[in-house]
């Protein structure tokens, strides 16, 4: 949708907004933010662009096109500071204590506080640097941004339907993480975003498909570093059935075991696996063509684990096997 000059924008708790300006610059507004397009115009006589965005709450991330004319202007203005650019990638945020932070990942930004004495003078931020403007309008020292996080702890696939749970790395000097999930590797079609100060991030569930997750570290001052990205696949459907028998940790006398579970609507087949180890490396039963979620097996005495997955069919007729449900342990004992 086209937006006129002066438009106020409020992005809610589950929102994410991408603004494309006429000159080609892109402004991304994450959840819990308020901005206003105070001045968005082009001076045809001077061949110059003027962009002034007022940030009242939250954050903006900007990819600004180079300003080819001296008379061109691109500013992000807050009650305490102004960030002026001539072509760069940067972010500006209002922190919970009303201070303002600015970070640059490419190019340079002039960050100026509202305080007019020597402490409030303008500072030049270059790539990999940031600074904080305190609630008196004084600009602090230029600091190095947190490093891009390592994402080895993130899962390659999500098998839950209701939630996307992402464990986040513990790193010295990191107070929180900014996380977003997009449908594309370029991170333009963002579908989830948020901030976590704990060791994990949880979002509402997503449709099955391939996504990209991006994570940025935030230090104690609120400065946000560069983003690391990783592919993420959601494969949660067809939904796995719920197990009935054997019950968790049940002790069964004899060698015959009857397995049963619920039958989700629309599921035609099931896959049952029984193993002597929790990792299911040593399978004793692997039956992928059960028309009902029920089967009897003869096994020697011992300790076992079992799990079941639903098997469906795609629109083009291919087999579509969903994730396995949680495994359950049981034990077979010899009769006295």
């Amino acid at each position: 949708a086209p937006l006129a000059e002066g438009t106020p924008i409020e992005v809610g708790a589950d929102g994410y907004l991408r603004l494309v300006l006429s000159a080609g610059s892109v402004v991304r507004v994450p959840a819990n933010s308020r901005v206003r397009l105070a001045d968005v115009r082009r001076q045809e006589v001077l061949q110059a662009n003027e962009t002034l965005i007022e940030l009242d709450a939250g954050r903006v991330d900007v990819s600004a096109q180079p300003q080819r004319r001296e008379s061109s202007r691109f500013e992000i203005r807050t009650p305490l500071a102004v960030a002026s650019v001539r072509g760069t990638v940067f972010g500006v945020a209002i922190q919970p204590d009303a201070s303002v932070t600015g970070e640059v990942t490419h190019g340079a930004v002039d960050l100026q506080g509202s305080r007019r004495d020597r402490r409030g003078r303008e500072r030049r931020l270059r790539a990999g640097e940031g600074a904080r403007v305190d609630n008196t309008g004084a600009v602090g020292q230029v600091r190095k941004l947190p490093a891009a996080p390592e994402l080895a702890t993130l899962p390659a696939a999500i098998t839950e339907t209701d939630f996307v749970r992402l464990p986040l790395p513990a790193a010295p000097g990191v107070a929180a993480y900014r996380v977003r999930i997009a449908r594309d590797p370029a991170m333009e079609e963002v579908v989830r975003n948020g901030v976590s100060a704990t060791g994990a991030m949880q979002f509402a569930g997503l449709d099955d498909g391939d996504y990209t997750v991006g994570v940025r570290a935030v230090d104690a001052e609120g400065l946000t570093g560069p983003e690391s990205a990783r592919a993420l696949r959601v494969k949660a459907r067809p939904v796995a059935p719920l197990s009935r028998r054997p019950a968790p940790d049940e002790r069964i006398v004899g060698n015959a075991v009857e397995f049963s579970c619920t039958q989700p609507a629309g599921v035609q087949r099931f896959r049952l696996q029984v193993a002597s180890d929790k990792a299911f490396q040593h399978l004793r039963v692997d039956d992928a063509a059960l028309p009902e979620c029920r089967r009897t097996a003869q096994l020697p005495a011992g300790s076992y684990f079992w799990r079941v997955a639903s098997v469906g069919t795609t629109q083009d007729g291919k087999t579509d096997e969903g994730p396995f449900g949680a495994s359950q342990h049981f034990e077979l004992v010899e009769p006295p």
Side-chain angles (χ1 to χ4, degrees):
L3 301 179
E5 184 180 76
T7 301
I9 302 168
E10 184 168 354
V11 181
D14 295 324
Y16 190 93
L17 184 71
R18 179 171 173 262
L19 296 171
V20 180
L21 306 180
S22 59
S25 298
V26 178
V27 180
R28 298 170 180 86
V29 188
N32 301 311
S33 299
R34 279 198 322 273
V35 301
R36 189 173 76 89
L37 306 180
D39 187 356
V40 183
R41 63 182 64 177
R42 177 172 174 79
Q43 297 181 8
E44 294 296 343
V45 175
L46 299 176
Q47 294 292 298
N49 297 295
E50 289 188 5
T51 303
L52 170 60
I53 297 177
E54 294 180 350
L55 174 63
D56 295 325
R59 178 181 180 88
V60 293
D61 289 291
V62 180
S63 298
Q65 291 292 325
Q67 305 297 316
R68 304 187 185 281
R69 299 281 183 176
E70 288 296 329
S71 54
S72 293
R73 181 180 65 154
F74 194 118
E75 292 182 353
I76 302 296
R77 182 172 295 174
T78 75
L80 291 175
V82 177
S84 304
V85 301
R86 297 197 61 79
T88 186
V89 178
F90 71 104
V92 178
I94 298 178
Q95 301 299 326
D97 64 354
S99 65
V100 175
T101 53
E103 316 100 14
V104 179
T105 54
H106 181 76
V109 165
D110 292 327
L111 184 65
Q112 182 177 0
S114 60
R115 189 163 171 170
R116 295 305 178 186
D117 61 17
R118 188 177 178 184
R119 290 185 59 201
R121 66 176 182 264
E122 182 178 276
R123 296 192 186 276
R124 173 64 60 92
L125 305 180
R126 304 187 186 279
E129 295 178 342
R132 177 176 173 269
V133 181
D134 66 22
N135 52 22
T136 69
V139 184
Q141 294 297 318
V142 176
R143 299 178 53 188
K144 186 177 179 181
L145 297 179
E150 294 288 338
L151 302 184
T153 59
L154 266 62
I158 299 294
T159 58
E160 288 187 81
T161 56
D162 296 330
F163 299 103
V164 175
R165 307 176 201 265
L166 302 174
L168 299 171
V174 176
Y177 286 100
R178 304 190 68 88
V179 185
R180 59 180 183 159
I181 301 176
R183 290 192 179 95
D184 61 316
M187 305 293 290
E188 299 294 356
E189 298 180 50
V190 174
V191 293
R192 299 286 186 274
N193 74 110
V195 181
S196 174
T198 65
M201 188 80 218
Q202 180 173 297
F203 295 113
L206 291 166
D207 294 335
D208 286 3
D210 293 319
Y211 299 86
T212 302
V213 57
V215 182
R216 304 172 69 185
V218 183
D219 68 12
E221 292 287 321
L223 296 176
T224 301
E227 188 172 58
S228 294
R230 179 173 173 174
L232 179 72
R233 166 162 286 191
V234 176
K235 179 56 178 170
R237 300 162 185 84
V239 178
L242 299 175
S243 60
R244 284 178 173 166
R245 291 199 60 195
D249 298 319
E250 182 177 353
R251 297 179 82 246
I252 301 171
V253 178
N255 302 112
V257 186
E258 182 177 334
F259 299 95
S260 65
C261 54
T262 61
Q263 186 140 341
V267 176
Q268 306 297 323
R269 289 183 294 140
F270 299 89
R271 182 177 184 180
L272 169 70
Q273 287 187 338
V274 182
S276 55
D277 64 309
K278 194 172 184 179
F280 286 82
Q281 297 296 313
H282 305 286
L283 294 175
R284 295 301 187 96
V285 176
D286 188 5
D287 193 337
L290 292 175
E292 294 183 339
C293 200
R294 183 183 301 275
R295 190 183 191 279
T296 301
Q298 295 286 332
L299 297 168
S303 180
Y304 297 95
F305 296 86
W306 71 288
R307 62 185 184 181
V308 183
S310 298
V311 182
T313 304
T314 61
Q315 292 182 350
D316 55 2
K318 295 181 179 180
T319 299
D320 182 21
E321 183 176 309
F324 283 100
S327 63
Q328 302 288 351
H329 171 261
F330 68 96
E331 188 176 354
L332 282 179
V333 296
E334 295 286 358

